[in-house]
Amino acid sequence: MSYAAYKMMHWPTGIENCASGFVTHSRADFAPQIPPIQTDDLESEWPAERQTGPLPNLIVTAANILEVYVVRVQEEDIRESRVTAETKRGGVMAGISGASLELVCQYRLHGNVETMTVLPSGGGDNSRRRDSIILAFQDAKISVLEFDDSIHGLHTSSMHCFEGPEWFHLKRGHESFARGPMVKVDPQGRCSGVLVYGLQMIILKASQAGYGLVGDEDALGSGSAVSARVESSYIINLRDLDMKHVKDFTFAHGYIEPVMVILHERELTWAGRVSWKHHTCMISALSISTTLKQHPLIWSAVNLPHDAYKLLPVPSPIGGVVVIGANSIHYRSQSASCALALNNYAVSFDNSQEMSRSSFSVELDAANATWLSNDVAMLSTKTGELLLLTLVYDGRVVHRLDLSKSRASVLTSGIAAIGNAFFFLGSRLGDSLLVQFTSILSSSVKEEIGDIEGDIPSAKRLRKSSSDALQDMVNGEELSLYGSAPNSTETSQKTFTFSVRDSFINVGPLKDFAYGLRINADPKATGVAKQSNYELVCCSGHGKNGALCILQQSIRPEMITEVELPGCKGIWTVYHKNTRGHNVESTKMAAKDDEYHAYLIISLESRTMVLETADLLGEVTESVDYYVQGCTISAGNLFGRRRVVQVYARGARILDGAFMTQDLPISESSSVLSVSIADPYVLLRMSDGNIQLLVGDPSTCTVSINIPAVFESSTKSISACTLYHDKGPEPWLRKTSTDAWLSTGIDEAIDGSDGAAHDQGDIYCVVCYESGGLEIFDVPNFNCVFSVDKFMSGKAHLVDTLITEPSEDTEKVMSQTSEEVAGQGRKENTHNIKVVELAMQRWSGQHSRPFLIGILTDGTILCYHAYLYEGLENTSKTEEPVSAQDSLRTSNVSASRLRNLRFVRVPLDTYTREEVSSGTTSPRMTVFKNVGGCQGLFLSGSRPLWFMVFRERIRVHPQLCDGSIVAFTVLHNINCNHGFIYVTSQGFLKICQLPSGSSYDNYWPVQKIPLKGTPHQVTYFAEKNLYPLIVSVPVLKPLNHVLSSLIDQEAGHQIENDSVGSDELHRSYSVDEFEVQILEPEKSGAPWQTRATIPMQSAENALTVRVVTLFNITTKENETLLAIGTAYVQGEDVAARGRVLLFSVGKNTDNSQNLVSEIYSKELKGAISALASLQGHLLIASGPKIILHKWTGTDLNGVAFFDAPPLYVVSLNIVKNFILLGDIHKSIYFLSWKEQGAQLNLLAKDFGSLDCFATEFLIDGSTLSLIVSDDQKNIQFVLGIFYYAPKMSESWKGQKLLSRAEFHVGAHVTKFLRLQMLPASSDRTSATQGSDKTNRFALLFGTLDGSFGCIAPLDELTFRRLQSLQKKLVDAVPHVAGLNPRSFRQFRSNGKAHRPGPDNIVDCELLCQFEMLPFEDQHEIAQQIGTTRVQILSNLNDLSLGTSFL
């Protein structure tokens, strides 16, 4: 039997749904924050009344990922505007200099979100209520989620499921449906409608606020937020209302009761019958009374065109709906109607009255739309153009519709307007954009905009200064560059200008990918380091969003120099600022970030080296007063970079440049273990488990030792500690204190007297004890402001111990904890887990919140993100009077506890644990503020990691190319701009920079190369390091050219011109033209060079390109050639033909014409859809047959064929002499090739029908399995039954392939790649005995959602252990939106008869939740399944080690 694990490695990025709503805050939260408009400066340019107003959240879904963002706006500051306007992306517009999206929370759901909407809470701009998110899942599951401040995340408020036996009658005998559930919501939030199973409408009634709920207003006043909720649901069967084919529905604005407008088709028609039967659609408006459960029809409109597909409700005060069709747009309301024809195909119902036509021709099928104002809608077409639709109205009557062109942009999957100043273009096919818009009256601004448009230098300047690499890809007319051209169609029309403010990278849809060597690969690397020599080159995107994505799972830095340096223990770089220029310098913040480092301190085993970091690294150890006789523990800057502090085992030195100003012996009895520096304090952890604090005096630049009184008397020994510097214009932790007078601004008055120490922010000390507790103290008074028991158990949320439980539960809790401690003692003695290192850091950014990261002895990394929760006051009433007196009595500013501070645990995706040896360890975490424009922290060790912080989210990127890293520090000087230095365990010191072309705000580092066309297939030519790639570009051609190419040349038919009018012959028509480009990677960051292109003939599509090795039977040697299979696409009247082309790739000369030369081409019957080389022969799938050819050097001769009835071969895979072929409709065939009889034999096939997407062999030791993915987003394993299955009765004597495992991936898998697994840590010992472990391959796969995953074989013991864990976790973990992981992973057969196969794949998406459980729960679950926590974690660890391919 074969067992496997399914593991996601890169989550989906293609955004399918987007919506906006007040989810994490209410509208009222914004009221006081709108700044007064500075009339003097802005009056001239912009209308003063425009304000951005309350900004809602943005909610996006990509397959099964749900993310909530908040829009952060940087208001333009009048004083700085002249300086900073250039640096922000998009310049200054409407008083806003920039905007970005910041992540609030992210969830991976056990189900793909079909549709999503936001249930508004109703109420005006001062409403304190919040909105909720409604998600609909396949077949008929609906979840309502609301944001909970206390956990800083979403929780499910209600679930509605209409599946299962008791709801079978809703399906009316149908098994498959054209689309999943569709959810829409009433604009005032009174109810929501969900269309399931085609014709069943579920009405979700929202609970009304303030109706009979006693004290509702009081609850709101006390600070807890109330979100919109769903109270009940009922079903309307639309069949009873005589509706047959519902296309869309929506809720209209401006009615007293909710009014649902439904677009449906009475009788179906199709393209061939349109001339007889055309206006088949109609709309019906139902008034929904949720209390009476009645729905009377109030108005309807008939005779809408058959291609109408979308309804757009018009906002108040106009009301009514806009019906969007492919060729026309109609407006309908109770009182008025008008229409607009978009092209020549639009006809009115009875051809009598002439429809008004738009000034240009456009097709609107597959458009998305949103409202920019109450009378202007923005439509995004299938070509990525943005159109503005204006309703010209008088009172509530619409007279006519105007359509005007605006900008070009990405191909969208959805648009959401965010407030009245932004909209978001969500895209599956390209990068999604956040765009700011502003409207201006066209008369006054005509000439001004003309200037912007004509002023090319300003555009170039914006483009160069843009921080984003995406900017440079986009040509002039695209939205991504600069303002908008005026719409010259109407003088009365509003003109909009746009500015792109932020963007999300998308690597989907992945059609194909190739696995090739990186530019800076190291040929000598071995083991894990060898894997980071490779990268994935992927075909992604479509049309003008088409691009090559270069993905690398691990970072490979660009090396500047390397030096051999054995025995290094640590490295530090320090600044030196001379005292004279101090005051001048500190005022210029800009200069501070760009200051170069002065010295590099290297600690060796028994001495310390000091180097100058000017243009050359020169050693100055002899001429400086640094302590050089022993090793250094740490070094850093104090007093605003005027002094350097160097700490060694028994003392510390303060230096001014090269000269010592103070030498401070610390302790005779114990030595310093670890150091944390936060200007002007230095925290030392001693070997006797105590703490010492060095306090600096900025006026004299000296330090003195202070042992905090708290720790002098305490017996608890400390395992880790760190200082946290709460920097920034407004210290964040101060907000979490409960003293009102602290946070209102009186503290500025108090602190004003004692100088500028406090504008630097506050300093805190975070301490972890051996017992596992964590406390935060303020410095230098050491009052405890926050404490948590058992920090190391990794709870999901950390709350201050004083306010965890209300009073009545305390006795119960006390007794429970004492028992737990006793039970814990027995268990923990065996593990002896404690925190070995802590870091707390808040990176720059106006709204950033601190992260707290701890490393445990068993290698677990706990990462927490702080948040603010102002809970109900009554929980902490008990000690309130005391604290109030205290705070008045003590003059200290932060005497009160940080009662509103909480931490939420953040999951870390890709990291592997490493056990910490029992001895003392050197610190592993190094915080960096700017390395190549990124900020975060670096974790050294045997598998080093980069933690990078983007939009308040941590991205983890491993760095494997040098193996283990001992020490790391940043370096910024003339030769190495914002770079870094690290020392490997082999004793090499390397000075590097981050690769510049890559973007790190993604699951994996990615570089996008725009192609301006659709990429279809890519392959890797290893000998020459080239990537042949099929690209198609749409080209406009006259219709008569297109028609003439559809003639069958052999039959010589004449074209029948009678059906086509003469004027139509000269109209242009878009045709895809194919070519094969041969690309060569450039040095990193640069665009790739096209070395050669191979054009196809007209109407010829290139279907496959492969590098094949053929045995030339005349010269008796192997040749590596490029093979291309094509097909002529000439319509259904011409018999299909295709060509096989063979090219030889010459030397890499500069003359690109000689690079590839065609050596053979042959036309065959049928499309050549797949090619492969089989033991020196060429295997060609041409139409319904497979032919094997031998190569003579000038000709291909057929030697064997197989005539199965495949319709169209999607993929061919070959191992030794076995062939696996997947058919578009007839599932898979398993063949073998015998040399002696020259025959292709069918070994077995799958007798069922399956629409294959991709196939591959999975090799586990000596077991060969066949894997296939299908159109229902499943993966199936079929076992290579060639060995033993002929004995099994159900395999029909071996003819039938049996399913061994099946699994629902939830995405269309387009390509499998077989890669050898790496030996994991536990295998190294046993690898010698059994070769099974070494001959083990996993399959890496890519999907249309932009995700990557792998299928990795498991041995039976591991599989059984993980499977029983998986069954436990289904119940043990609370699942977001109440989704069941087991039902998500069940095989979907879409109504076809299917015999369920065995469940032999474990789901690592569910298993990774185990690491997020608290330790106690992990132990308990492990015990229940009869194993240990360590064993489970090591299995999961081995799996991620074995599959780190890139």
Side-chain angles (χ1 to χ4, degrees), residues 48-66:
E49 77 276 50
R50 178 176 181 84
Q51 294 176 342
T52 52
L55 276 179
N57 296 93
L58 169 71
I59 305 105
V60 298
T61 70
N64 64 332
I65 303 275
L66 170 72

Side-chain angles (χ1 to χ4, degrees), residues 1098-1114:
S1098 72
E1100 183 182 29
N1101 289 13
L1103 297 180
T1104 180
V1105 57
R1106 288 286 175 250
V1107 175
V1108 293
T1109 305
L1110 301 184
F1111 181 71
N1112 186 335
I1113 56 175
T1114 44

Side-chain angles (χ1 to χ4, degrees), residues 1281-1295 1298:
I1281 41 170
F1282 186 49
Y1283 301 101
Y1284 56 85
K1287 312 268 188 301
M1288 294 174 65
S1289 57
E1290 63 260 45
S1291 73
W1292 302 351
K1293 294 190 177 164
Q1295 301 173 45
L1298 300 178

Side-chain angles (χ1 to χ4, degrees), residues 129-397:
R129 290 167 56 91
R130 295 182 182 173
D131 307 341
S132 295
I133 304 170
I134 305 182
L135 304 175
F137 302 92
Q138 201 64 279
D139 285 330
K141 292 190 265 291
I142 303 139
S143 289
V144 185
L145 303 173
E146 60 183 52
F147 188 76
D148 183 352
D149 286 313
S150 63
I151 59 168
H152 198 71
L154 299 173
H155 78 227
T156 314
S157 66
S158 65
M159 302 183 325
H160 312 265
C161 182
F162 295 89
E163 296 175 14
E166 66 271 38
W167 299 105
F168 269 165
H169 64 277
L170 297 181
K171 294 189 177 184
R172 303 192 54 86
H174 290 271
E175 279 299 330
S176 65
F177 298 91
R179 59 167 170 224
M182 186 163 66
V183 55
K184 297 282 169 76
V185 69
D186 172 51
Q188 293 173 36
R190 294 165 295 193
C191 73
S192 157
V194 189
L195 183 69
V196 298
Y197 301 134
L199 282 172
Q200 306 291 338
M201 179 68 70
I202 299 165
I203 302 290
L204 304 176
K205 180 188 176 185
S207 55
Q208 297 291 339
Y211 290 136
L213 284 174
V214 185
D216 196 24
E217 291 306 313
D218 307 343
L220 292 178
S222 69
S224 72
V226 176
S227 302
R229 295 198 174 169
V230 171
E231 193 179 85
S232 59
S233 60
Y234 65 96
I235 298 178
I236 303 175
N237 185 352
L238 297 182
R239 260 184 106 86
D240 303 345
L241 304 176
D242 209 22
M243 298 184 193
K244 294 198 184 84
H245 310 283
V246 176
K247 292 186 153 191
D248 194 16
F249 75 101
T250 188
F251 285 89
H253 290 253
Y255 285 89
I256 299 171
E257 281 206 314
V259 169
M260 179 189 286
V261 184
I262 301 177
L263 170 69
H264 56 107
E265 201 166 4
R266 289 167 297 180
E267 300 175 50
L268 295 179
T269 180
W270 63 288
R273 268 187 72 77
V274 161
S275 47
W276 291 276
K277 195 179 195 178
H278 37 84
H279 283 62
T280 54
C281 288
M282 65 176 288
I283 54 176
S284 308
L286 311 176
S287 173
I288 307 287
S289 165
T290 50
T291 43
L292 300 172
K293 299 193 178 179
Q294 289 177 350
H295 37 270
L297 177 73
I298 52 174
W299 58 272
S300 64
V302 294
N303 295 338
L304 290 166
H306 75 284
D307 55 16
Y309 66 95
K310 200 184 200 76
L311 292 176
L312 196 58
V314 182
S316 304
I318 307 173
V321 291
V322 171
V323 185
I324 302 176
N327 307 309
S328 58
I329 299 178
H330 299 256
Y331 170 80
R332 288 282 190 276
S333 74
Q334 224 161 332
S335 51
S337 72
C338 55
L340 180 70
L342 304 173
N343 52 38
N344 296 351
Y345 299 112
V347 288
S348 61
F349 171 58
D350 45 5
N351 291 339
S352 57
Q353 75 266 40
E354 187 58 38
M355 292 170 78
S356 58
R357 299 197 168 272
S358 75
S359 55
F360 55 94
S361 175
V362 66
E363 293 171 12
L364 266 194
D365 48 332
N368 289 299
T370 190
W371 292 93
L372 298 188
S373 67
N374 62 358
D375 58 343
V376 180
M378 188 177 66
L379 302 165
S380 147
T381 69
K382 59 183 177 183
T383 57
E385 287 180 293
L386 296 182
L387 310 176
L388 294 175
L389 174 71
T390 309
L391 276 58
V392 183
Y393 69 103
D394 179 14
R396 289 188 65 167
V397 178

Side-chain angles (χ1 to χ4, degrees), residues 870-910:
E870 296 174 0
L872 293 171
E873 271 75 36
N874 54 10
T875 52
S876 50
K877 282 273 164 59
T878 47
E879 78 269 285
E880 192 121 280
V882 190
S883 64
Q885 288 161 13
D886 270 357
S887 55
L888 293 172
R889 212 175 326 130
T890 50
S891 58
N892 171 23
V893 183
S894 333
S896 156
R897 292 179 77 91
L898 304 176
R899 210 173 280 135
N900 294 339
L901 172 66
R902 292 195 176 187
F903 290 91
V904 59
R905 185 157 170 208
V906 184
L908 300 175
D909 296 323
T910 45

Side-chain angles (χ1 to χ4, degrees), residues 605-621:
E605 279 168 3
S606 58
R607 62 191 185 94
T608 295
M609 285 167 64
V610 183
L611 284 77
E612 256 183 333
T613 56
D615 34 1
L616 293 168
L617 288 181
E619 185 171 348
V620 290
T621 313

Side-chain angles (χ1 to χ4, degrees), residues 1332-1365:
D1332 266 16
K1333 284 275 174 71
T1334 52
N1335 187 25
R1336 186 172 254 198
F1337 289 80
L1339 296 183
L1340 184 71
F1341 63 79
T1343 74
L1344 290 183
D1345 295 329
S1347 58
F1348 282 94
C1350 72
I1351 303 278
L1354 294 176
D1355 50 274
E1356 184 168 2
L1357 184 67
T1358 312
F1359 169 77
R1360 295 281 179 226
R1361 182 181 299 127
L1362 293 179
Q1363 192 186 34
S1364 43
L1365 172 64

